[in-house]
Amino acid sequence: MLVAVLAFAGPVLVALVAVTLVHRVVRRIGRRSALFAGLARRAHKPALVVAVLVAVQFALGVVARGEWRPVALHAVGVALILAGAWLLGALLVVVEDATLARIRVDVSDNRHARRVHTQITLVRRVTVVVVGVLAAAGVLMTFPAARAAGTSLLASAGVIGAIAALAAQSLLGNVFAGVQIAFSDALRLDDVVVVEEQWGRVEDITLTYVVVHLWDDRRLILPTAYFLKTPFENWTRTQSALLGTVELDLDWTVPVEDLRQELRHAVEGVDLWDGRVCVAQVTGAVGSFVRVRALVSAVDAGRLWDLRCLVREHLVAWLRTCHPEALPQVRVRDLPPHRSTRDSPLSGSDNRVFGESADGQERVQAFSGPEATNRPG
């Protein structure tokens, strides 16, 4: 009995010691390498479980006797398949994290980096799902009844596939849309978009939905298929730098050239302006006002918004202080009084309706009274 216990516990103890030593070595190397640091952090527990299960399976094969031996070996085999899937998923995540760490997104022109981040993030989710499905299939195939059922189901795989496709049409559509978004470069993580008349930044892209972080810290969650069926604005599709406008409706007396110089003075020396575009133009002159448009540029959408607000506030203050006459005004002109037929004896009466004939005057008296014809002119 003691020999059996030692034969069973010996391999397990060896596995624990071996994994612990390897973990310490990897953790020490991880002080200088992000890849090994990720391995030490994520792969230690699944590797420990796999090593222990392998040792248990070896010990059962050598020591175990009796009717319970096949059942124990089968249970350990199932656990080993699941632990192996856990270890494989952890290794894939470590590799993907190491790849993402090498690609920086905290730079001004990070379009390529955001594209790679989007693709790797979605590939990670796909690989985790695939590993999980394969592990579940492997577990089911260890049961003879499941293998027989699987053989019989192959004959009706087409019917089952059609039924499943119809039942999960919306889900599968979103999944395929997520894969297409990842590799079509139409939408990336950290893109600035306008969807449903809301301005925000793409915070997360999954296989089924996209999370947009709105400017007021709300989250707008949309299915991935939405971005393939509905037009939306992507302000950072090709580059992060953007142009923005500030429009003012002013009086016709506004000094446009002075305003143009003041716009240049407002943006120069401001970190928000990237130095590319600074233009003021009159884009409309209809009715009571002229419309002046100031066009400025910034390196990204956040700085552009702040720059537009700064320019708008500066020009409003400048106009109020230096050119108040250029502010929007509504002019009212006094016209001379209209000269009526004051020489007519029936001035102010209804003689224009009934005429100036005798019959007309009788009608006027009928409606206005007999004194209407005796009023002084």
Side-chain angles (χ1 to χ4, degrees), residues 136-170:
V139 171
L140 291 176
M141 293 303 292
T142 61
F143 295 92
R147 287 199 299 268
T151 304
S152 62
L153 287 176
L154 287 177
S156 57
V159 178
I160 295 176
I163 295 174
L166 291 175
Q169 183 178 4
S170 178

Side-chain angles (χ1 to χ4, degrees), residues 3-4 7-8 11 55-65 69 73:
V3 175
F8 187 83
V56 170
Q57 190 176 41
F58 174 77
L60 287 175
V62 174
V63 178
R65 295 291 185 272
R69 180 175 180 271
L73 288 174

Side-chain angles (χ1 to χ4, degrees), residues 91 131 212 217 248:
L91 293 176
V131 170
V212 181
D217 280 342
L248 301 173

Side-chain angles (χ1 to χ4, degrees), residues 201-326:
R201 192 179 298 273
V202 178
E203 185 177 58
D204 190 17
I205 301 178
T206 69
L207 289 176
T208 55
Y209 63 88
V210 177
V211 180
V212 181
H213 184 181
L214 302 182
W215 65 274
D216 55 358
D217 280 342
R218 290 180 297 151
R219 265 66 175 181
L220 183 64
I221 301 177
L222 298 168
T224 51
Y226 172 90
F227 294 91
L228 298 181
K229 300 178 181 178
T230 308
F232 65 96
E233 296 182 27
N234 190 339
W235 289 11
T236 54
R237 171 65 177 78
T238 56
Q239 59 181 0
S240 299
L242 295 170
L243 300 179
T245 60
V246 174
E247 293 186 331
L248 301 173
D249 287 336
L250 303 174
D251 191 76
W252 285 69
T253 59
V254 58
V256 178
E257 187 59 34
D258 292 346
L259 187 144
R260 188 174 289 119
Q261 297 298 325
E262 189 63 25
L263 173 64
R264 172 71 61 169
H265 174 70
V267 299
E268 287 180 346
V270 178
D271 295 337
L272 300 174
W273 184 51
D274 62 0
R276 292 187 301 122
V277 179
C278 178
V279 178
Q281 296 173 316
V282 177
T283 59
V286 180
S288 303
F289 310 108
V290 295
R291 174 160 295 182
V292 179
R293 185 186 70 177
L295 186 65
V296 292
S297 61
V299 296
D300 56 41
R303 291 183 177 88
L304 180 63
W305 175 264
D306 293 337
L307 180 62
R308 292 171 61 193
C309 294
L310 184 146
V311 168
R312 188 180 295 108
E313 293 172 2
H314 183 91
L315 292 180
V316 168
W318 177 75
L319 288 168
R320 292 180 59 187
T321 303
C322 301
H323 296 278
E325 72 282 358

Side-chain angles (χ1 to χ4, degrees), residues 293-363:
R293 185 186 70 177
L295 186 65
V296 292
S297 61
V299 296
D300 56 41
R303 291 183 177 88
L304 180 63
W305 175 264
D306 293 337
L307 180 62
R308 292 171 61 193
C309 294
L310 184 146
V311 168
R312 188 180 295 108
E313 293 172 2
H314 183 91
L315 292 180
V316 168
W318 177 75
L319 288 168
R320 292 180 59 187
T321 303
C322 301
H323 296 278
E325 72 282 358
L327 296 176
Q329 302 181 32
V330 178
R331 294 178 173 85
V332 179
R333 180 179 178 183
D334 293 333
L335 297 177
H338 178 70
R339 296 182 60 85
S340 61
T341 56
R342 287 182 291 181
D343 297 336
S344 174
L346 301 177
S347 176
S349 65
D350 293 334
N351 59 341
R352 287 175 297 174
V353 177
F354 298 108
E356 298 182 0
S357 62
D359 182 67
Q361 293 180 5
E362 292 179 0
R363 291 176 178 271

